[in-house]
Amino acid sequence: MRSYRIAAIPGDGIGNEVIPAGIEILNALAEKDGFQFAFEHFDWSSERYKRTGAYIPEGGLAKLKTFDAIFFGAVGAPDVPDHVSLWGLRLPICQGFDQYANVRPSRVLPGVTSPLANAKDIDWVIIRENSEGEYSGSGGRVHQGLPEEVATETSVFTRHGVERIHRFAFELARKRPRKLLTLVTKSNAQRHGMVLWDEIFYEVAKGYPDVKTDRILVDAMTTRMVLKPGSLDTIVASNLHADILSDLAAALSGSLGIAPTANLNPERKFPSMFEPIHGSAFDITGKGVANPVATFWTAAMMLEHLGEPKAAARLMRAIERTTEEQVFTPDLGGVHDTRAVTSAVKRAL
Ligand code: IPM
Ligand code: MG
């Protein structure tokens, strides 16, 4: 029987509510489709950090590396600075496992109301560079607390890093019906890294004559997403630009509670990591009302990656059946809780 070893890291906040829901659905699916999952639970979280001083224990990444995929909830706690939790857990995995391609699809699921009138035109995949750029970690802080204090935060764009993400974006755009790839940039103001970013895009484009391209500055992109959503399809953007645009994309498609993501190591030298975009959401933690849809959609992306496209499609249909019937948590204007949405998706399976 086909079997997949999955590392489950619920992490913080509502990660502990949505990841168990996702596991329940994945197990139900596997049973139907004749394969199985072996989930191993990792307690890597802010709780663990406060208790032991580390998010990831000694030798943790080496162990994690042996899994087929990572199913991740969220990281972030009210009493740990955000940069400590992010650099303690999520980034060491993304960067350590060279998960350089972050894929973020958005569309308005059936039954969901978008704040946009022309919302049905939203069918986007944002590809986020996930290993360098503004999240390179390069920089420093000196003379702390003194009037001459200085902090630098350096964006790093390497030919290797830029070329591989553009190539990944062209490959993905080519597989989508419209074959349309939009380059997001800010090379007017940022005249070194972003100019290299643009130049390499057009070098790579030569190998993909069947893919239509255009280029837009990131500020103009926000208005285009709102006013002309149908003019976009596949989008490639730097680490920070795509981080920001993907929250906008999630809100425009109805809620941050439905947006999925995959952190991919396309060469499969390391396991890839699948997570809902929404974060730990401590304002609703423990209330049982977190929207599990982002996690289910994320699980469908994981199934695709594992080579189970039939199960992935079945799960997407079950999610859509459930949204169509408006079995919604409060973020989508509903009265249902995590449990009820999970049961509805399970029934639809
Ligand atoms: C995301 C998140 C993270 C990011 C946070 C949690 C640090 O916003 O995945 O989009 O900025 O990368
Ligand atoms: Mg974000």
Side-chain angles (χ1 to χ4, degrees), residues 258-270:
I258 59 175
T261 189
N263 299 282
L264 301 178
N265 172 249
E267 289 73 29
R268 295 173 187 259
K269 274 201 285 200
F270 298 94

Side-chain angles (χ1 to χ4, degrees), residues 86 90 104 128 135 243:
L86 178 64
R90 189 174 166 271
R104 303 187 160 193
R128 172 181 183 182
Y135 282 57
D243 172 43

Side-chain angles (χ1 to χ4, degrees), residues 90 104 128 135 239-240 242-247 256 277:
R90 189 174 166 271
R104 303 187 160 193
R128 172 181 183 182
Y135 282 57
N239 215 329
L240 181 63
D243 172 43
I244 297 165
L245 296 177
S246 59
D247 268 26
L256 198 54
I277 292 186

